[in-house]
Protein backbone atom coordinates (compact mmCIF):
# COMPACT_ATOMS: atom_id res chain seq x y z
CA UNK A 1 0.00 0.00 0.00
CA UNK A 2 1.20 3.51 -0.78
CA UNK A 3 1.40 6.01 2.05
CA UNK A 4 -2.04 6.66 3.50
CA UNK A 5 -2.75 10.25 4.55
CA UNK A 6 -4.96 10.88 7.57
CA UNK A 7 -6.15 14.44 8.22
CA UNK A 8 -6.58 15.10 11.94
CA UNK A 9 -9.21 17.82 12.07
CA UNK A 10 -8.42 19.55 15.36
CA UNK A 11 -10.79 22.49 14.92
CA UNK A 12 -12.17 25.10 17.29
CA UNK A 13 -15.93 24.51 17.53
CA UNK A 14 -18.39 27.21 16.49
CA UNK A 15 -20.87 26.78 19.35
CA UNK A 16 -23.73 25.38 17.25
CA UNK A 17 -24.48 22.08 15.53
CA UNK A 18 -25.14 23.88 12.23
CA UNK A 19 -21.92 25.86 12.55
CA UNK A 20 -19.88 22.74 13.33
CA UNK A 21 -21.49 20.97 10.36
CA UNK A 22 -20.54 23.79 7.97
CA UNK A 23 -17.04 24.17 9.40
CA UNK A 24 -16.57 20.39 9.27
CA UNK A 25 -17.57 20.25 5.60
CA UNK A 26 -15.06 22.97 4.75
CA UNK A 27 -12.33 21.20 6.72
CA UNK A 28 -12.99 17.92 4.90
CA UNK A 29 -12.83 19.64 1.53
CA UNK A 30 -9.54 21.26 2.48
CA UNK A 31 -8.18 17.91 3.72
CA UNK A 32 -9.12 16.26 0.44
CA UNK A 33 -7.46 19.05 -1.55
CA UNK A 34 -4.29 18.32 0.45
CA UNK A 35 -4.40 14.63 -0.47
CA UNK A 36 -6.09 13.10 2.59
CA UNK A 37 -7.48 9.58 2.32
CA UNK A 38 -9.21 9.76 5.71
CA UNK A 39 -10.47 12.79 7.66
CA UNK A 40 -10.86 12.31 11.41
CA UNK A 41 -12.66 14.79 13.65
CA UNK A 42 -11.75 15.54 17.25
CA UNK A 43 -13.79 13.85 19.94
CA UNK A 44 -17.49 14.81 20.11
CA UNK A 45 -17.31 17.33 17.23
CA UNK A 46 -21.10 17.79 17.08
CA UNK A 47 -21.08 19.92 20.22
CA UNK A 48 -17.36 20.68 20.51
CA UNK A 49 -17.04 18.41 23.57
CA UNK A 50 -18.83 21.16 25.47
CA UNK A 51 -19.94 19.12 28.49
CA UNK A 52 -17.89 20.68 31.29
CA UNK A 53 -19.18 23.49 33.51
CA UNK A 54 -22.74 23.11 32.26
CA UNK A 55 -25.81 21.40 33.73
CA UNK A 56 -26.02 17.76 32.60
CA UNK A 57 -29.52 18.12 31.15
CA UNK A 58 -28.37 21.08 29.05
CA UNK A 59 -25.65 19.18 27.20
CA UNK A 60 -27.50 15.86 27.10
CA UNK A 61 -30.23 17.67 25.18
CA UNK A 62 -27.63 18.34 22.47
CA UNK A 63 -27.27 14.62 21.76
CA UNK A 64 -28.13 13.62 18.19
CA UNK A 65 -29.12 10.36 16.53
CA UNK A 66 -26.60 8.34 14.57
CA UNK A 67 -29.18 8.67 11.78
CA UNK A 68 -29.34 12.48 12.05
CA UNK A 69 -28.80 14.80 9.10
CA UNK A 70 -25.52 15.85 10.76
CA UNK A 71 -24.07 12.33 10.72
CA UNK A 72 -25.59 11.29 7.38
CA UNK A 73 -24.36 14.55 5.85
CA UNK A 74 -20.78 13.48 6.41
CA UNK A 75 -21.56 10.14 4.78
CA UNK A 76 -22.77 11.98 1.68
CA UNK A 77 -19.68 14.17 1.78
CA UNK A 78 -17.40 11.11 2.01
CA UNK A 79 -18.93 9.81 -1.23
CA UNK A 80 -18.73 13.22 -2.89
CA UNK A 81 -15.06 13.64 -1.97
CA UNK A 82 -14.09 9.97 -2.46
CA UNK A 83 -12.52 10.11 1.03
CA UNK A 84 -13.24 8.23 4.26
CA UNK A 85 -14.57 10.41 7.10
CA UNK A 86 -14.68 9.64 10.81
CA UNK A 87 -17.33 11.94 12.28
CA UNK A 88 -17.64 12.24 16.06
CA UNK A 89 -20.71 13.27 18.02
CA UNK A 90 -22.67 13.15 21.24
CA UNK A 91 -25.06 10.34 20.39
CA UNK A 92 -28.64 10.20 21.62
CA UNK A 93 -29.32 6.92 23.42
CA UNK A 94 -32.22 5.71 25.56
CA UNK A 95 -29.86 4.94 28.48
CA UNK A 96 -28.10 8.31 28.23
CA UNK A 97 -25.90 9.93 25.60
CA UNK A 98 -22.83 8.23 24.17
CA UNK A 99 -19.49 9.60 22.97
CA UNK A 100 -19.48 8.15 19.44
CA UNK A 101 -17.77 7.97 16.07
CA UNK A 102 -19.16 6.82 12.75
CA UNK A 103 -16.65 5.96 10.05
CA UNK A 104 -17.81 6.28 6.46
CA UNK A 105 -15.76 4.83 3.62
CA UNK A 106 -14.96 6.75 0.45
CA UNK A 107 -18.22 5.54 -1.08
CA UNK A 108 -20.30 6.92 1.78
CA UNK A 109 -20.94 3.50 3.32
CA UNK A 110 -21.20 3.34 7.09
CA UNK A 111 -18.34 1.06 8.19
CA UNK A 112 -18.11 1.53 11.97
CA UNK A 113 -20.47 2.86 14.61
CA UNK A 114 -18.51 2.93 17.84
CA UNK A 115 -19.17 4.41 21.29
CA UNK A 116 -16.39 5.11 23.78
CA UNK A 117 -16.09 2.05 26.03
CA UNK A 118 -14.04 3.61 28.84
CA UNK A 119 -15.87 6.72 29.99
CA UNK A 120 -14.23 8.75 32.75
CA UNK A 121 -16.30 7.76 35.79
CA UNK A 122 -14.35 10.26 37.90
CA UNK A 123 -15.72 13.25 36.03
CA UNK A 124 -18.73 14.58 34.11
CA UNK A 125 -18.40 11.70 31.61
CA UNK A 126 -19.93 9.44 34.27
CA UNK A 127 -23.22 10.67 32.77
CA UNK A 128 -22.41 9.00 29.44
CA UNK A 129 -23.46 5.48 28.47
CA UNK A 130 -20.34 3.46 27.64
CA UNK A 131 -20.05 1.41 24.48
CA UNK A 132 -19.77 -2.36 24.72
CA UNK A 133 -17.16 -3.50 22.20
CA UNK A 134 -14.38 -2.55 19.77
CA UNK A 135 -14.74 -2.99 16.01
CA UNK A 136 -12.47 -3.48 13.02
CA UNK A 137 -13.52 -3.05 9.40
CA UNK A 138 -11.98 -3.39 5.95
CA UNK A 139 -11.75 0.17 4.71
CA UNK A 140 -11.34 0.68 0.99
CA UNK A 141 -9.23 3.72 0.14
CA UNK A 142 -7.77 4.99 -3.12
CA UNK A 143 -4.45 3.61 -1.86
CA UNK A 144 -5.89 0.15 -1.24
CA UNK A 145 -7.68 -1.75 1.51
CA UNK A 146 -6.70 -1.37 5.16
CA UNK A 147 -8.12 -2.86 8.33
CA UNK A 148 -9.22 0.02 10.57
CA UNK A 149 -10.43 0.12 14.16
CA UNK A 150 -11.45 2.94 16.45
CA UNK A 151 -11.25 3.93 20.08
CA UNK A 152 -11.91 7.31 21.68
CA UNK A 153 -9.61 9.30 23.99
CA UNK A 154 -9.61 7.61 27.42
CA UNK A 155 -9.88 4.17 25.77
CA UNK A 156 -6.20 4.52 24.89
CA UNK A 157 -5.25 4.51 28.59
CA UNK A 158 -6.16 0.81 28.72
CA UNK A 159 -3.78 -1.50 26.79
CA UNK A 160 -6.57 -4.02 26.24
CA UNK A 161 -8.38 -1.60 23.93
CA UNK A 162 -5.56 -1.62 21.37
CA UNK A 163 -4.86 -5.31 22.02
CA UNK A 164 -8.44 -6.26 21.14
CA UNK A 165 -8.30 -4.18 17.95
CA UNK A 166 -4.91 -5.62 16.99
CA UNK A 167 -6.09 -9.19 17.57
CA UNK A 168 -9.07 -8.42 15.33
CA UNK A 169 -6.61 -7.40 12.61
CA UNK A 170 -6.48 -3.60 12.86
CA UNK A 171 -3.58 -2.09 10.93
CA UNK A 172 -4.68 1.46 11.76
CA UNK A 173 -6.50 2.63 14.89
CA UNK A 174 -8.32 5.96 14.71
CA UNK A 175 -8.34 7.74 18.09
CA UNK A 176 -10.34 10.97 18.18
CA UNK A 177 -9.42 13.06 21.20
CA UNK A 178 -10.39 16.38 22.77
CA UNK A 179 -8.02 16.53 25.73
CA UNK A 180 -6.64 19.96 26.53
CA UNK A 181 -2.92 20.40 25.98
CA UNK A 182 -2.09 20.84 29.65
CA UNK A 183 1.34 20.39 31.25
CA UNK A 184 1.22 16.59 31.55
CA UNK A 185 0.33 16.07 27.89
CA UNK A 186 2.80 18.68 26.69
CA UNK A 187 5.61 17.02 28.62
CA UNK A 188 4.79 13.62 27.09
Amino acid sequence: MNHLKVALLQLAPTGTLAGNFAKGIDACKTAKSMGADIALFAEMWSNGYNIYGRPVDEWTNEAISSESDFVKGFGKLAKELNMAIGITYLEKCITGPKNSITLFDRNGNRMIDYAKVHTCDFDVERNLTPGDDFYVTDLNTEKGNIKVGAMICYDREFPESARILMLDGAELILVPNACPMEINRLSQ
Side-chain angles (χ1 to χ4, degrees):
M1 173 182 285
N2 294 323
H3 288 81
L4 190 71
K5 290 186 179 179
V6 180
L8 303 176
L9 305 179
Q10 298 292 112
L11 309 168
T14 68
T16 68
L17 182 67
N20 288 348
F21 182 72
K23 189 172 187 175
I25 287 174
D26 289 344
C28 286
K29 289 178 179 179
T30 299
K32 180 62 179 182
S33 73
M34 296 173 74
D37 300 292
I38 302 171
L40 178 63
F41 283 89
E43 183 178 12
M44 217 182 291
W45 173 245
S46 66
N47 79 337
Y49 200 77
N50 187 12
I51 64 175
Y52 288 90
R54 300 171 62 203
V56 172
D57 62 334
E58 186 178 302
W59 61 264
T60 57
N61 288 334
E62 295 172 358
I64 60 174
S65 164
S66 64
E67 296 299 323
S68 67
D69 290 342
F70 180 88
V71 175
K72 286 181 166 181
F74 285 100
K76 291 176 187 169
L77 183 63
K79 183 175 183 174
E80 175 188 320
L81 297 177
N82 194 36
M83 175 181 72
I85 297 175
I87 184 62
T88 59
Y89 52 101
L90 180 62
E91 181 181 0
K92 186 178 287 190
C93 179
I94 226 167
T95 57
K98 295 180 177 184
N99 184 345
S100 298
I101 179 174
T102 295
L103 176 64
F104 293 100
D105 72 7
R106 67 190 182 115
N107 298 307
N109 298 313
R110 190 180 291 250
M111 302 304 293
I112 290 178
D113 283 311
Y114 169 75
K116 185 177 189 177
V117 169
H118 298 100
T119 57
C120 302
D121 288 343
F122 56 83
D123 212 333
V124 69
E125 277 197 11
R126 68 182 165 275
N127 298 294
L128 295 173
T129 298
D132 56 9
D133 206 351
F134 295 93
Y135 307 100
V136 173
T137 189
D138 289 311
L139 186 69
N140 178 268
T141 73
E142 286 186 316
K143 307 272 176 51
N145 291 330
I146 186 168
K147 288 195 168 288
V148 176
M151 65 172 95
I152 298 175
C153 189
Y154 194 53
D155 288 328
R156 73 183 186 278
E157 302 294 330
F158 301 88
E160 288 302 307
S161 305
R163 182 178 181 275
I164 290 166
L165 290 165
M166 183 268 312
L167 289 173
D168 286 343
E171 300 169 280
L172 172 68
I173 300 173
L174 301 175
V175 188
N177 187 357
C179 290
M181 290 308 292
E182 45 81 35
I183 190 66
N184 294 311
R185 289 186 181 86
L186 289 171
S187 63
Q188 290 174 353

